[in-house]
Amino acid sequence: TDYGSSLTVSLPAALQPHQPFQIIVRYTTTDGPAIWWLDPELTYGSAKPFVFTQGHSVCNRSFFPCFDTPAVKCTYSATVKAPAGIQVLMSATQSSYLEEEGIYQFYMEYPVPAYLVALVAGDLIHADIGPRSRVWAEPCLLPTAISKLSGIVERWLTAAESLYGPYIWGRYDIVFLPPSFPIVAMENPCLTFIISSILESDEFLIIDVIHEVAHSWFGNAVTNATWEEMWLSEGLATYAQRRITTETYGAAFTCLETAFRLDALHRQMKLLGEDNPVSKLQVKLEPGVNPSNLMNLFTYEKGYCFVYYLSQLCGDPRHFDSFLRAYIEKYKFTSVVAQDLLDSFLNFFPELKEQCVESKAGLEFERWLNATGPPLAEPDLSQGSSLTRPVETLFKLWTTEPLDSVAAASSVDLTKWRTFQTVLFLDRLLDGSPLPHEVIKKLSECYSSQLDSMNAEIRIRWLQIVVRNDYYPDLYKVRRFLENQMSRMYTIPLYEDLCTGTLKSFALEIFYQTQNQLHPNLRKTIQQILSQGLNPLPAIDTTAVTTDTPAMVLEDKVSEATNGAISLRDVNVSA
């Protein structure tokens, strides 16, 4: 019922075929999955209320009446009235503001699917960072956003245009949202939404924004016609993202980021099992299932591997770039299925069609689409060995018994490493946890103080290692981290780890002390984690809670948590 119900409109019998007609639906919305209202204290500035929408994949039906399927595209216009001092933005090509009336007018002149209609309103100011780009953020965050992105977004757009043709949406603006934003980023046309928390992690910021830039071609201009083939947007966008990073940052950096993501893919594969149907590229969407539940690393990384395989069949990635430019030009502003892409590919390369590459034994296109399990082929990442080899070497030093290489391992200065090197190393330690106590003790002695000064993507992984290994000397850092985080991506994995192990009372204590700073949706999710395998948690007046209370609650109610669905703690991927 959160998503509303379908509306059937009977048309007049006298209406002629193809005769234009107009339907007016008068409606009001209540709280729904698409609309996120934030009290001032849930923003960074704590000055004014805030609201944003998140339409992907089928949430916007709770925002406005629409054909909520990616197969249907249309233009849209909107009129929004807001109090003085509240800036309103939408994913539109044109906008105007009547100050005396407090009314904003928006118009999207190109057809888009319903999920790409987006609105945000709050205490937002802007600065230009390029000839066709600006950043919007709360006043306290704007200087950081400018320093991180000024000048380089245009560089990414220019690189993308050189590969895939003109950027068709006019402006490319970015709005940084409060930490309650439920995902990392969303490719709303003309106005990318991105969580402010990512600002401190430079390399993740680069990858996340470039991925959304790539969606301007793959996903927004040409869209998957069905949610069962999300890889057509995400796999192609991931491929395009990596072509752009190769052009702007070099092949070694791209290979490092790819190795990090493919590691995560295999981690998820191990947890789900190779026969799990969600590992198919053409996954079957059962009635009543929210398509967002099918969003996983296979959509991105197995999809990427298939696209990369197609590019390798061409011999030169530049030839494949030419094909993708033609594909965009042919299908822009429409929605497609996989067969459209593959038929276009074979028609563009008739010599490959003559070789029957679509039927090559073990690598059949049909098998790529419908076989469960890992990708049938993966990219050659040897160009990244200068960055990945030190990670592999250090990991072996710490995990080879007997532990007599500590001196060599402790001489490695992680502050000199790239972020993706450090998170790749920590993820592999996470995979091997629990580690022998002597190892975790020495790791802490060598690296804990270094990691304290690094970004949240790195710190959360070290803290997960601390929790999974019950390393009590560093547990105070877990508390300190959670006391200062309001984002799903930096809270849920730690709470899941705490509740899977022996530290549930510690998790309860932190939650009762910090829950008022969390968005209600996030608060509910954490309550579900804390309640896993238990009786429902009681509502507690946190003003009366002492540090002893959670332990007393725990003593009465805790039993061993049951193993449920695969959770974020097992994936360690933020985008």
Side-chain angles (χ1 to χ4, degrees), residues 333-534:
F333 306 132
T334 68
S335 300
V336 299
V337 296
Q339 204 57 50
D340 296 321
L341 171 70
L342 298 176
D343 286 347
S344 296
F345 174 76
L346 293 173
N347 290 334
F348 194 86
F349 297 105
E351 68 280 11
L352 296 179
K353 190 173 184 178
E354 288 177 13
Q355 296 169 25
C356 299
V357 293
E358 73 276 17
S359 305
K360 187 176 180 180
L363 292 165
E364 299 91 343
F365 289 180
E366 181 64 22
R367 189 174 175 191
W368 270 104
L369 295 175
N370 289 303
T372 60
L376 303 182
E378 292 188 9
D380 175 11
L381 301 179
S382 59
Q383 287 182 286
S385 60
S386 62
L387 297 174
T388 56
R389 194 180 299 115
V391 176
E392 293 160 2
T393 300
L394 186 61
F395 178 71
K396 286 177 183 175
L397 287 175
W398 281 108
T399 54
T400 302
E401 294 184 359
L403 192 63
D404 52 10
S405 307
V406 173
S410 61
S411 67
V412 175
D413 184 358
L414 296 184
T415 63
K416 302 287 177 60
W417 276 16
R418 287 183 172 273
T419 290
F420 280 119
Q421 287 178 294
T422 307
V423 295
L424 184 59
F425 170 61
L426 294 176
D427 274 353
R428 291 183 177 179
L429 289 176
L430 267 172
D431 288 342
S433 293
L435 301 163
H437 180 74
E438 185 63 21
V439 172
I440 189 70
K441 183 174 180 288
K442 293 291 186 183
L443 278 166
S444 179
E445 290 172 1
C446 289
Y447 303 132
S448 186
S449 60
Q450 290 183 37
L451 298 171
D452 283 347
S453 61
M454 296 185 188
N455 62 62
E457 290 289 342
I458 291 172
R459 295 201 315 278
I460 189 174
R461 286 168 167 82
W462 170 247
L463 296 177
Q464 285 184 274
I465 292 171
V466 167
V467 171
R468 291 193 195 183
N469 288 275
D470 293 331
Y471 188 65
Y472 289 91
D474 276 4
L475 210 54
Y476 73 96
K477 296 180 180 181
V478 176
R479 176 193 295 276
R480 188 169 63 196
F481 186 84
L482 288 173
E483 286 174 346
N484 291 285
Q485 291 294 338
M486 297 185 287
S487 163
R488 292 183 70 86
M489 64 185 186
Y490 296 139
T491 53
I492 298 293
L494 272 173
Y495 274 109
E496 288 178 329
D497 274 341
L498 287 165
C499 292
T500 302
T502 61
L503 295 165
K504 180 167 281 191
S505 60
F506 181 68
L508 281 162
E509 182 181 322
I510 297 171
F511 174 70
Y512 288 136
Q513 291 172 351
T514 61
Q515 63 173 321
N516 288 337
Q517 72 189 40
L518 305 176
H519 189 277
N521 292 358
L522 177 56
R523 198 182 309 152
K524 181 179 178 182
T525 301
I526 296 173
Q527 285 173 329
Q528 290 170 343
I529 294 168
L530 292 168
S531 302
Q532 192 174 24
L534 315 177

Side-chain angles (χ1 to χ4, degrees), residues 238-301:
T238 301
Y239 177 85
Q241 160 213 310
R242 289 176 179 150
R243 287 288 290 126
I244 296 167
T245 59
T246 299
E247 293 294 311
T248 52
Y249 296 100
F253 175 75
T254 300
C255 288
L256 171 64
E257 183 267 335
T258 306
F260 163 68
R261 301 294 187 192
L262 289 178
D263 249 32
L265 175 70
H266 288 291
R267 187 177 305 117
Q268 193 172 77
M269 182 85 270
K270 184 178 177 182
L271 290 157
L272 292 173
E274 293 199 3
D275 294 330
N276 196 303
V278 302
S279 63
K280 295 181 179 182
L281 290 183
Q282 283 186 331
V283 65
K284 180 65 177 173
L285 189 60
E286 298 297 334
V289 174
N290 189 327
S292 293
N293 294 344
L294 302 178
M295 288 288 285
N296 55 47
L297 286 168
F298 300 98
T299 305
Y300 292 78
E301 297 303 335

